[in-house]
Coordinates of all heavy atoms in Angstrom, one line a residue:
H117 N 14.4 58.3 -56.0 CA 14.4 57.4 -57.2 C 13.2 56.5 -57.3 O 12.5 56.4 -58.3 CB 15.7 56.7 -57.3 CG 15.8 55.8 -58.5 ND1 15.6 56.2 -59.8 CD2 16.0 54.4 -58.6 CE1 15.8 55.2 -60.6 NE2 16.0 54.1 -59.9
G121 N 10.0 58.4 -58.3 CA 10.1 58.2 -59.7 C 11.1 59.0 -60.5 O 11.0 59.1 -61.7
L177 N 11.6 58.6 -40.4 CA 11.2 58.9 -41.8 C 10.9 57.7 -42.6 O 9.9 57.7 -43.4 CB 12.2 59.8 -42.5 CG 12.6 61.1 -41.9 CD1 13.7 61.8 -42.8 CD2 11.3 62.0 -41.9
S193 N 22.1 42.7 -65.8 CA 23.2 42.8 -66.8 C 24.5 42.3 -66.2 O 24.8 42.7 -65.1 CB 23.3 44.2 -67.3 OG 22.1 44.7 -67.9
V212 N 34.0 53.1 -59.6 CA 33.8 54.3 -58.8 C 34.8 54.4 -57.6 O 35.3 55.5 -57.4 CB 32.3 54.3 -58.3 CG1 32.1 55.4 -57.2 CG2 31.3 54.6 -59.3
F225 N 46.6 66.4 -52.7 CA 48.1 66.7 -52.9 C 48.3 67.6 -54.0 O 49.5 68.0 -54.1 CB 48.7 65.4 -53.1 CG 48.9 64.5 -51.9 CD1 47.8 63.6 -51.5 CD2 50.0 64.5 -51.1 CE1 47.9 62.8 -50.4 CE2 50.0 63.8 -49.9 CZ 49.0 62.9 -49.6
V295 N 41.8 52.3 -40.8 CA 42.9 52.3 -39.8 C 44.1 51.6 -40.3 O 45.2 52.0 -39.9 CB 42.3 51.6 -38.5 CG1 43.4 51.2 -37.6 CG2 41.3 52.5 -37.8
R334 N 31.5 34.9 -38.9 CA 31.5 35.8 -40.2 C 31.1 37.2 -39.8 O 31.7 38.2 -40.3 CB 30.7 35.2 -41.2 CG 30.9 35.9 -42.6 CD 29.7 35.7 -43.5 NE 29.8 36.7 -44.6 CZ 28.8 36.9 -45.4 NH1 27.7 36.3 -45.2 NH2 28.9 37.8 -46.3
F343 N 40.3 45.2 -34.6 CA 41.0 45.0 -33.4 C 42.5 44.6 -33.6 O 43.4 45.2 -33.0 CB 40.3 44.0 -32.5 CG 40.6 44.2 -31.0 CD1 40.0 45.2 -30.3 CD2 41.5 43.4 -30.3 CE1 40.3 45.5 -28.9 CE2 41.7 43.6 -29.0 CZ 41.1 44.6 -28.3
Q351 N 53.0 52.5 -31.8 CA 52.6 53.2 -30.6 C 52.8 54.8 -30.8 O 53.8 55.2 -31.3 CB 53.3 52.9 -29.4 CG 52.7 53.5 -28.1 CD 53.3 52.9 -26.9 OE1 54.1 52.0 -26.9 NE2 52.8 53.2 -25.7
G356 N 51.1 65.8 -25.1 CA 51.4 66.8 -24.2 C 50.1 67.7 -23.9 O 49.1 67.5 -24.5
G383 N 15.8 59.8 0.4 CA 14.5 60.4 0.8 C 13.6 60.7 -0.3 O 12.4 60.4 -0.2
V392 N 3.8 55.6 -6.5 CA 3.9 54.9 -7.8 C 3.4 53.5 -7.6 O 3.2 53.0 -6.5 CB 5.3 54.9 -8.3 CG1 5.9 56.2 -8.5 CG2 6.3 54.1 -7.3
G458 N 35.5 43.4 -13.5 CA 36.8 44.1 -13.5 C 37.9 43.4 -14.2 O 38.7 44.0 -14.9
P615 N 23.6 55.8 -26.1 CA 22.8 56.8 -25.4 C 23.2 57.0 -24.0 O 23.1 58.1 -23.4 CB 21.3 56.3 -25.5 CG 21.4 54.8 -25.8 CD 22.7 54.7 -26.6
D652 N 7.0 60.8 -30.4 CA 7.8 59.6 -30.7 C 8.9 59.9 -31.8 O 10.0 59.5 -31.6 CB 6.9 58.5 -31.1 CG 7.7 57.2 -31.4 OD1 8.4 56.7 -30.5 OD2 7.7 56.8 -32.5
R682 N 24.8 78.8 -7.1 CA 25.9 79.4 -6.4 C 25.5 80.7 -5.6 O 25.8 80.8 -4.4 CB 27.1 79.6 -7.2 CG 28.4 80.1 -6.4 CD 29.6 80.1 -7.3 NE 29.9 78.8 -7.8 CZ 30.6 78.7 -8.9 NH1 31.1 79.7 -9.6 NH2 30.9 77.4 -9.3

Side-chain angles (χ1 to χ4, degrees):
H117 177 54
L177 297 178
S193 300
V212 168
F225 289 87
V295 166
R334 190 201 164 195
F343 203 76
Q351 186 167 6
V392 300
D652 181 60
R682 187 173 297 159

